[in-house]
Amino acid sequence: MAHAENETTINRSPEDVYAFLADGLNNPAWRSGVQDITLKSGKPGDLGAVYSQTLTGPGGRPIVGDYEITAADPGKHLGFQVVAGPARPAGAYRLSEAPGGTTVLFTLDLQPKGLMKLVGPVIVRTMNAEVAQLTKLKNVLESA
């Protein structure tokens, strides 16, 4: 299984951080690979909500990466599962109170299948780059 994780502390309340993360329409503000995103079904941030997104793929080609919210515990835990696209990782944001703010742990897990197993190191690099964007999330939320 491919796994990536990163953690940072943001000088905002767990409720503020959760609200920002739960609304997928905020993704372009901090995730550089998101070209376009819309709410496909459900209410923003609610369990079962599905977001349709276009991501920058290999060679700059657009790829789909739609995801569904699979866990929604405001201020504490937000989980998602990618439901469309070539790679379908599960991810989670775990939030905990920290002095002056919120510690955010962002994890991604993927069980490569078929030909994807051959490009395992590339997948792990991509996942590591994705979770590393927590630094940008911190900057966006602390400057708001």
Side-chain angles (χ1 to χ4, degrees):
M1 174 178 300
H3 174 81
E5 67 180 57
N6 192 19
E7 184 176 88
T8 194
T9 300
I10 299 172
N11 294 324
R12 296 286 295 267
S13 72
E15 294 76 21
D16 286 350
V17 175
Y18 180 90
F20 188 85
L21 289 170
D23 185 353
L25 300 180
N26 291 322
N27 286 350
W30 70 280
R31 293 181 51 225
S32 62
V34 177
Q35 295 179 1
D36 184 58
I37 187 163
T38 59
L39 180 62
K40 188 174 179 179
S41 65
K43 292 183 180 176
D46 280 1
L47 189 65
V50 176
Y51 288 89
S52 177
Q53 65 180 350
T54 303
L55 306 170
T56 302
R61 293 186 316 267
I63 58 171
V64 296
D66 300 0
Y67 69 93
E68 178 179 358
I69 294 179
T70 58
D73 187 0
K76 297 179 182 174
H77 177 228
L78 180 69
F80 64 91
Q81 175 67 54
V82 176
V83 295
R88 300 191 182 188
Y93 303 98
R94 297 200 184 275
L95 312 177
S96 57
E97 287 188 49
T102 303
T103 297
V104 181
L105 174 64
F106 180 16
T107 61
L108 287 173
D109 291 294
L110 175 68
Q111 184 65 51
K113 295 180 170 111
L115 293 175
M116 234 183 218
K117 289 180 183 179
L118 299 175
V119 292
V122 173
I123 292 169
V124 171
R125 266 196 312 276
T126 301
M127 290 170 55
N128 282 329
E130 184 67 26
V131 299
Q133 293 187 83
L134 274 184
T135 301
K136 187 167 182 189
L137 174 69
K138 176 182 174 68
N139 293 338
V140 166
L141 285 174
E142 289 182 355
S143 66

